[in-house]
């Protein structure tokens, strides 16, 4: 018999995906990055790969999410699982999060594929996060292209801003 606390933790269990990507230049070579954290809170898998083709930043971001969802599917993650996706790409979150915005026609097949993969889970929640909170996925995407990680800029500070006296 399962204790009420254990049952509650099983119901609250979910996979977390932090995904990011880079297109260098934009459009250009695409590097994908994702960090997948299991229901127990441990990082289970990281993705850092360059695609063999070129595209724009929005396409790269979408392909990073698709790679993460595909990995979950190959692992046999049960359909009763929920997935929480964090991305610093507002286009991806708005398109897949159910908000009514004009679709990007060229990327429609990729968005449709992502919707199908997300629907395989009991629930899926997509949330936009600021770029500085997505650093690990960004570093993986940039590394796939041979680029150094971006310097962390604290919230409220702009790069290169200085106070004048």
């Amino acid at each position: 018999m399962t204790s009420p606390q254990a049952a509650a933790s099983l119901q609250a269990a979910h996979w977390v995906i932090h995904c990011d990507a880079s297109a260098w230049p934009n459009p250009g070579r695409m590097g994908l990055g994702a960090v997948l954290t299991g229901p127990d809170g441990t990082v289970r898998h990281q993705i850092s790969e360059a695609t063999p083709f070129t595209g724009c930043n929005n396409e790269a971001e979408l392909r990073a999410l698709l790679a993460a969802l595909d990995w979950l599917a190959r692992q046999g993650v049960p359909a009763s699982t929920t997935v929480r996706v964090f991305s610093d790409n507002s286009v991806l979150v708005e398109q897949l999060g159910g908000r009514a915005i004009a679709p990007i026609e060229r990327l429609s097949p990729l968005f449709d594929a992502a919707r199908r993969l997300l629907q395989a889970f009991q629930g899926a929640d997509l949330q936009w996060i600021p770029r500085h909170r997505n650093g690990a996925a960004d570093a993986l995407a940039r590394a796939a292209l041979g680029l150094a990680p971006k310097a962390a800029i604290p919230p409220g500070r702009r790069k290169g801003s200085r106070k004048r006296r």
Side-chain angles (χ1 to χ4, degrees), residues 41-66:
T42 62
V43 173
R44 300 284 187 87
H45 187 64
Q46 295 184 33
I47 296 170
S48 180
E49 64 183 55
T51 65
F53 39 85
T54 60
C56 68
N57 190 53
N58 288 328
E59 179 179 352
E61 298 270 354
L62 185 50
R63 288 187 181 279
L65 174 60
L66 286 168

Side-chain angles (χ1 to χ4, degrees), residues 33-149:
V35 178
L36 293 94
T37 304
D40 63 356
T42 62
V43 173
R44 300 284 187 87
H45 187 64
Q46 295 184 33
I47 296 170
S48 180
E49 64 183 55
T51 65
F53 39 85
T54 60
C56 68
N57 190 53
N58 288 328
E59 179 179 352
E61 298 270 354
L62 185 50
R63 288 187 181 279
L65 174 60
L66 286 168
L69 292 171
D70 183 58
W71 185 85
L72 285 176
R74 286 188 320 231
Q75 302 313 302
V77 172
S80 61
T81 305
T82 59
V83 177
R84 297 189 73 198
V85 177
F86 295 94
S87 174
D88 59 20
N89 184 282
S90 60
V91 171
L92 180 127
V93 173
E94 290 170 355
Q95 285 281 335
L96 297 175
R99 295 190 186 107
I101 64 168
I104 300 171
E105 180 108 9
R106 185 179 66 79
L107 300 180
S108 287
L110 294 174
F111 279 112
D112 291 343
R115 283 185 194 93
R116 278 191 302 278
L117 287 170
L118 288 167
Q119 288 172 352
F121 298 101
Q122 180 180 13
D125 176 47
L126 286 89
Q127 184 176 347
W128 177 86
I129 57 173
R131 182 177 294 161
H132 72 274
R133 291 188 48 213
N134 209 23
D138 180 66
L140 290 166
R142 292 176 63 78
L145 295 176
L147 303 172

